[in-house]
Amino acid sequence: MDDGLYEVVTVKGLIFLAWPGVFCATTSKLVVMDESPPESSSRVIKLKGLFGLLIDTQDETVIRPSTMPFPHLQANPNFVDGVASRDVVISDSPSIWARVFLPEKASLVRDDKAFKKVPVILYFHGGAFVILSPDISFYHQYCEKIARKTNAVVVSVDYRLIPENRLPAAYDDAFTALSWLKTQATAANELVDPWLATYADFGKIFLMGDSAGANIVHHLSVRASSSDLEPLAIRGQILVQPMTGGPDRLRSEVVGAKNGSFSFQTNDWLWRLALPKGSDMSHPYCNLPAAVMELAKVPLPPALVVLGGVDWMHDRQFEYVASLRKTKKEVELLDYEKAKHGFFIYDTEETGNFLRALAGFVTKRSREARA
């Protein structure tokens, strides 16, 4: 997720985005572009690795890029390469929607003329809580791969972003989405999404997310543990490179800062925008390893945690896994030595291995549900 396609330019104190060969301004006026200032010298700074996202450090607002290097894709209700998709409204206020992905294998009629019900994966995208959505091309395509590989219905949720909506807004939206699934499982036929009504096994729910989305999954699992969700049954949680932080600096962060893959400034500002005002990075929304240690008596679903050896968050994510184990939680760890943050959006050997392991995890936990 390199933002190298962009550069920040200033004109008489105004900040603009430039894409090589294209002029993409945050206003409609065409201006002459000067040199970009150093990252820390301006009231407005560019956050590293976030597609040219700018933050006004004085009023703590963001300027999202008007043009992304990845397009938004429309849902396709017809099967293409084994998967169809459609958009659904989860809530009007706040506005929450999701993209549902249906694997074609699930639509095949069995000999008894009935459809085989398949697991449901409730998915939460990454983007540091501040950007992206389910219809961004690489998340659309990634969820298609997940549906195809696991033969599960994938419900990819669009949640409110920071800083307009600080945490716990995204966590609340996630629980609203999970509650919506419960409604789908219990409502009268005319109120139920037709794909979920026909194909979804609500007794086999999996919570999954990457980066900020994996952070959401952790907090959603905790909240779900004390909630009445019947007839839903959460069989597992999949956390891919969960976004986490803390007040100290760990080795992988220091290494990332030295090799340019990480910026302490970006990290600190993101958490400052995300956390409740007045909080620091010891807050349980941020410091997942410490937060888990307070959950010894909280029953959490079995977890599959996926790490990347060259992810700058690796060491803190590994501490998170250690905390899960110390509190007697059931956890499987996949740690890919050469994988960067967000490796799964690329067609690599690590991605292929991960998708096979994911399918195995979903199959295994689904079979245990029948035992």
Side-chain angles (χ1 to χ4, degrees):
M1 298 184 181
D2 185 12
D3 64 344
L5 289 175
Y6 289 97
E7 60 180 329
V8 183
V9 293
T10 58
V11 184
K12 296 181 181 180
L14 298 176
I15 305 297
F16 297 89
L17 298 179
W19 206 1
V22 181
F23 181 72
C24 303
T26 56
T27 74
S28 60
K29 295 181 179 179
L30 181 63
V31 294
V32 179
M33 298 179 292
D34 298 330
E35 264 192 2
S36 169
E39 185 179 34
S40 61
S41 68
S42 174
R43 166 180 166 173
V44 179
I45 59 176
K46 179 174 69 170
L47 297 187
K48 185 177 181 64
L50 291 172
F51 310 114
L53 185 81
L54 304 176
I55 176 174
D56 185 318
T57 61
Q58 183 168 309
D59 61 15
E60 297 188 0
T61 59
V62 298
I63 305 169
R64 295 182 176 88
S66 58
T67 302
M68 291 284 284
F70 302 95
H72 293 264
L73 299 182
Q74 296 293 320
N76 189 345
N78 301 310
F79 289 110
V80 177
D81 294 330
V83 180
S85 57
R86 62 191 300 268
D87 294 339
V88 297
V89 175
I90 290 177
S91 168
D92 290 320
S93 182
S95 179
I96 308 170
W97 65 276
R99 180 157 293 180
V100 181
F101 297 84
L102 175 67
E104 189 170 14
K105 286 187 292 186
S107 69
L108 301 179
V109 180
R110 299 181 303 185
D111 291 340
D112 58 2
K113 306 301 181 184
F115 292 103
K116 180 182 179 182
K117 302 283 187 174
V118 298
V120 177
I121 297 176
L122 192 62
Y123 192 88
F124 301 93
H125 65 81
F129 297 109
V130 73
I131 56 171
L132 304 181
S133 59
D135 60 351
I136 286 289
S137 60
F138 60 79
Y139 272 121
H140 176 98
Q141 293 158 357
Y142 175 50
C143 286
E144 285 181 325
K145 292 177 184 178
I146 293 172
R148 223 172 4 243
K149 197 68 178 180
T150 62
N151 195 31
V153 175
V154 178
V155 180
S156 181
V157 180
D158 185 65
Y159 52 86
R160 287 173 290 170
L161 302 176
I162 65 167
E164 297 88 349
N165 303 280
R166 290 175 177 264
L167 299 176
Y171 304 151
D172 292 341
D173 292 352
F175 189 76
T176 296
L178 185 60
S179 300
W180 176 81
L181 277 183
K182 175 182 176 178
T183 299
Q184 295 298 298
T186 57
N189 287 339
E190 63 270 16
L191 300 177
V192 180
D193 177 84
W195 285 3
L196 293 176
T198 304
Y199 305 111
D201 186 338
F202 293 104
K204 299 173 185 174
I205 303 295
F206 292 83
L207 309 179
M208 181 176 178
D210 70 275
S211 195
N215 178 293
I216 291 172
V217 164
H218 166 80
H219 292 287
L220 179 58
S221 295
V222 173
R223 184 169 177 179
S225 69
S226 59
S227 303
D228 178 12
L229 295 171
E230 290 187 1
L232 301 187
I234 300 175
R235 299 301 175 181
Q237 53 176 328
I238 302 102
L239 303 97
V240 182
Q241 300 176 302
M243 183 175 173
T244 179
D248 53 340
R249 306 301 197 191
L250 299 188
R251 181 200 62 84
S252 61
E253 295 169 346
V254 174
V255 171
K258 288 182 177 179
N259 66 26
S261 64
F262 170 73
S263 164
F264 284 117
Q265 181 190 50
T266 292
N267 183 67
D268 294 351
W269 265 109
L270 285 171
W271 282 114
R272 181 170 175 174
L273 296 176
L275 294 171
K277 287 192 174 183
S279 302
D280 60 29
M281 291 171 65
S282 63
H283 195 285
Y285 292 169
C286 172
N287 194 344
L288 296 187
V292 170
M293 297 307 296
E294 304 298 320
L295 302 175
K297 296 182 179 180
V298 176
L300 296 179
L304 174 65
V305 182
V306 184
L307 308 185
V310 291
D311 182 352
W312 55 267
M313 281 190 282
H314 176 275
D315 290 0
R316 204 175 302 275
Q317 293 163 348
F318 194 84
E319 285 188 353
Y320 172 68
V321 173
S323 293
L324 287 172
R325 289 172 170 166
K326 286 178 183 177
T327 52
K328 309 300 182 183
K329 303 298 186 287
E330 190 173 358
V331 56
E332 298 178 29
L333 173 63
L334 298 176
D335 196 346
Y336 296 110
E337 181 181 1
K338 299 180 181 180
K340 299 179 180 180
H341 195 75
F343 74 94
F344 49 85
I345 70 172
Y346 304 104
D347 290 322
T348 64
E349 180 180 357
E350 288 89 354
T351 299
N353 291 338
F354 160 58
L355 289 174
R356 283 188 288 273
L358 170 64
F361 180 82
V362 171
T363 298
K364 174 184 176 183
R365 300 301 174 181
S366 296
R367 285 173 177 167
E368 290 174 353
R370 298 196 297 268

